[in-house]
Amino acid sequence: MEFLFGPVPSRRLGLSLGINIVPYKTCSYNCVYCEVGRTTNLTIERKSFYNLEDIKREFVENVGKLGRIDYVTFSGSGEPTLNKDIGELIRFVKGRGFKTAVLTNGSLLYLDEVKDDLMQADVVIPSLDSAKKESFLKINRPHRGLNLEKIIEGIRDFTREFRGKVWLEVLFVKGVNDSKEDIKALVEAIATIRPSRVQIGTVDRPPADEWVRKLSDREMMDIYTYMSAHLDVEVDLIGGFNKENDRFYEDVERAIVKLINIRPCTEGDLKKIFGLDDAGLKGKLGKLFEKGEAFEYYFGGKRFIAGNRSMIEKRMV
């Protein structure tokens, strides 16, 4: 098949059938971490790269042979919104009864024509790896015709108009976009965008540039905790985060302490944020209570867990 790939299992989208609608490495970014490799055609010019009927024919002839499909996803080896036919293809796939998702770097969402093309999708997953110009230029290496402020505004405006779900994706590279200033700027930008959820990760596969390094589990947990505490949207930790080693469980306790020192939480909040069941949370809180690192109090008929007594006292005044 020339255009279809998968279905591939996805934590986010279930079984996802991909449609690649741009030539290899035709993109508006040349991201240092890209698993597909370096961009060979850096462009922001939208084109009809392929014959629409060829894509439609391949889809119709093969989709019934591929088993269960939860989403048909426009992604692949470049930036899918560079294909000016993406809107018609989304409508075509939805007309066949399938949910659609678009994986995009978000760089062209400032264009009204791109916004219009994606309005019929069910899920749009744009990227925003940095809200600081210096870090943005280093990690995404964008086409010179792109402007970071305009990109953020485009993602924000699209999110406000879109009736589906927007899951904003952030990928961290060690020493590039992971400083305290970078995280704070991202949080401020995301707060204005107000996506349905935020998904953060680090380098998980061989990157385009050999010098690129991933963040450690502990570093990712620190970022996750900070963003969870400072954003009113759900934050997911995805990608290569190792949830099966002992150190992860140690990091969860540490992350709970950091979170409740910033913002008191109910047990329900903590279970949701850290993926714990009743027994798992009870065990961790028991240890924190014994060490004096967590305290409970009631407010408005709800039981909260806080990380220091001064926080409780302020709320009791």
Side-chain angles (χ1 to χ4, degrees), residues 39-53:
T39 295
T40 52
N41 182 20
L42 186 65
T43 182
I44 55 174
E45 182 182 358
R46 303 185 76 212
K47 292 182 179 180
S48 296
F49 293 103
Y50 302 110
N51 185 312
L52 264 177
E53 296 309 311

Side-chain angles (χ1 to χ4, degrees), residues 235-254:
V235 180
D236 292 334
L237 200 49
I238 62 171
F241 193 76
N242 185 358
K243 295 188 177 182
E244 298 181 356
N245 59 42
D246 293 338
R247 186 175 172 185
F248 170 77
Y249 293 102
E250 294 173 4
D251 283 349
V252 168
E253 284 188 19
R254 178 170 173 267

Side-chain angles (χ1 to χ4, degrees), residues 160-173:
R160 291 177 179 176
E161 299 172 26
F162 187 52
R163 293 183 180 181
K165 297 176 181 179
V166 173
W167 300 343
L168 191 68
E169 188 168 81
V170 185
L171 191 138
F172 292 98
V173 172

Side-chain angles (χ1 to χ4, degrees), residues 191-202:
T192 69
I193 293 170
R194 298 185 63 81
S196 307
R197 66 202 311 167
V198 178
Q199 301 175 322
I200 65 173
T202 188

